[in-house]
């Protein structure tokens, strides 16, 4: 059987059409989970699935799964990713994996190829975790790692629940979560980092995902007049937020290796130029491929935060927003990605993923792996996110060949 070729222009067009939904003036996409823009993106993607003759289901946490029938009624080989974005997102993060899955289906249909196993394309709810934590929420519920009730009752910063938003946008589906059972899962994604571009390589054969630790700290100080309160008498919540921000940068440098640390969100109250901050609520994102090193970073962070709060005479509390151990993908599926990449003659390297992905959740229930393509300038979660058309097409071709091999294998 000659392997059919992905229609690159059609894939690119679909990325740009979807990218119009939630488009930011001047470029980029804002399609935060469960907003109206997310609903429109979901509507468009489901219509595309139906045009391709796929059977489409929406489950109780809003995951969308389209299935293309195989010649045998077996658990499907699943592709997919997410179409929710961060507030300053790009065209490709998540969207590329979903639309490439649909492009694979379109290409096989055109070629009149029906694989032995069905092929599924999933759109997982709230992968980003930018509005509702944790990230990868929909796929975590899908694999039974988070109770549906706990996900549905999660609130955003304005106290709005996931359930209320799912119902508002019409995506609290009736399908049970975790269906269909999945044979294997392959996720195509942009690298979102600088490695492939710096090494001049075309494909990343992803071996796993690093560990992730998200913590939200709340510091309660004492608001007071900026002009009349002596420095020694202050209980300044903003100071502790700033001290922790500097500490985690120093911590990552001292621990070295692959330790990463980010203070991404800081909310001060009352947030006024002439008032000492009463409250500071801020987040710390720690990541490491090494489980023990990540635990050590967390321990040092909490010790430091407590001491800084004590020294300033403020109260500090924290809650965990997300905590995932490093994940290793299935060696056989990773080998298959490597073989198909070699068959295409593409340059590549094996590598871990710095970003979290739905694949790290599906890996809990079936053999899973990922394929990366280069990100220009290593940029992502940035409106200037970009990947070259040739790289987009090549990655989708590797995806097609990997899932076809998985779907037609005899065992
Ligand atoms: O945070 C992450 O790594 C992913 O983009 N949700
Ligand atoms: Mn993503
Ligand atoms: Mn992302």
């Amino acid at each position: 059987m000659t392997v059919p070729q992905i229609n690159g222009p059609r894939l690119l067009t679909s990325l740009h059409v979807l990218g119009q939904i939630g488009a930011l003036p001047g470029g980029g996409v804002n399609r935060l989970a469960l907003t109206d823009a997310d609903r429109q993106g979901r509507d468009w993607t489901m219509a595309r699935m139906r045009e391709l003759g796929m059977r489409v289901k929406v489950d109780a946490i809003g995951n969308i799964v389209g299935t293309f029938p195989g010649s045998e009624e077996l658990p499907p080989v699943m592709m997919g990713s997410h179409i929710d974005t961060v507030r300053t997102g790009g065209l490709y993060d998540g969207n590329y994996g979903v639309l490439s899955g649909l492009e694979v289906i379109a290409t096989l249909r055109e070629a009149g190829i029906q694989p032995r196993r069905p092929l599924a394309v999933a759109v997982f709810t709230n992968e980003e975790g930018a509005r509702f934590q944790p990230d990868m929420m929909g796929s975590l519920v899908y694999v039974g790692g988070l109770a549906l009730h706990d996900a549905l009752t999660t609130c955003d910063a304005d106290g709005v629940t996931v359930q209320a938003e799912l119902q508002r946008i019409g995506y609290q589906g009736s399908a049970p979560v975790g269906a269909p059972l999945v044979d294997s899962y392959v996720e195509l994604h942009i690298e979102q980092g600088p490695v492939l571009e710096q090494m001049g390589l075309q494909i990343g054969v992803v071996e796993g995902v690093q560990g992730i630790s998200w913590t939200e700290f709340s510091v309660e100080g004492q608001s007071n007049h900026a002009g009349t309160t002596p420095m020694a008498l202050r209980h300044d919540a903003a100071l502790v937020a700033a001290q922790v921000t500097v500490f985690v940068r120093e911590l990552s440098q001292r621990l070295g290796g692959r330790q990463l640390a980010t203070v991404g969100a800081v909310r001060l109250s009352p947030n006024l130029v002439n008032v000492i901050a009463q409250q500071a609520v801020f987040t710390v994102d720690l990541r490491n491929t090494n489980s023990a090193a990540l635990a050590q970073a967390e321990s040092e962070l909490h010790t430091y935060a407590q001491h800084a709060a004590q020294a300033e005479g403020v109260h500090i509390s924290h809650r965990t927003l997300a905590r995932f151990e490093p994940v290793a993908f299935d060696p056989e599926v990773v080998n298959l990605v490597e073989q198909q990449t070699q068959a295409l003659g593409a340059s590549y390297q094996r590598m871990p993923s710095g970003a979290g992905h739905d694949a790290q959740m599906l890996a809990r229930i079936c053999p899973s792996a990922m394929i990366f393509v280069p990100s220009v300038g290593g940029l992502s979660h940035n409106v200037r996110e970009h990947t070259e058309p040739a790289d987009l097409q090549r990655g989708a071709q590797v995806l097609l060949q990997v899932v076809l091999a998985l779907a037609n294998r005899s065992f």
Side-chain angles (χ1 to χ4, degrees), residues 321-356:
L321 298 179
R323 181 61 171 91
F324 302 122
E325 285 296 315
V327 168
F329 288 139
D330 179 87
E332 286 180 31
V333 184
V334 174
N335 290 342
L336 182 59
V337 171
E338 185 173 42
Q339 287 154 21
Q340 295 303 333
T341 300
Q342 289 169 336
L344 271 178
S347 59
Y348 73 94
Q349 75 160 30
R350 286 174 170 244
M351 60 193 293
S353 172

Side-chain angles (χ1 to χ4, degrees), residues 215-222 235-245 247-248 263 278-284 298 300-319:
T215 304
E216 178 188 76
F217 287 96
S218 297
V219 181
E220 293 296 331
Q222 184 184 60
H235 303 291
D236 184 349
L239 175 69
V240 173
Q243 288 172 325
V244 171
T245 303
F247 172 76
V248 295
V263 172
Q278 156 79 32
Q279 186 189 55
V281 178
F282 60 97
T283 60
V284 178
E298 285 175 314
E300 292 202 36
L301 165 64
H302 286 286
T303 303
Y304 179 84
Q306 285 297 340
H307 287 165
Q310 217 164 2
E312 185 60 16
V314 298
H315 178 265
I316 192 167
S317 59
H318 71 272
R319 66 188 179 109

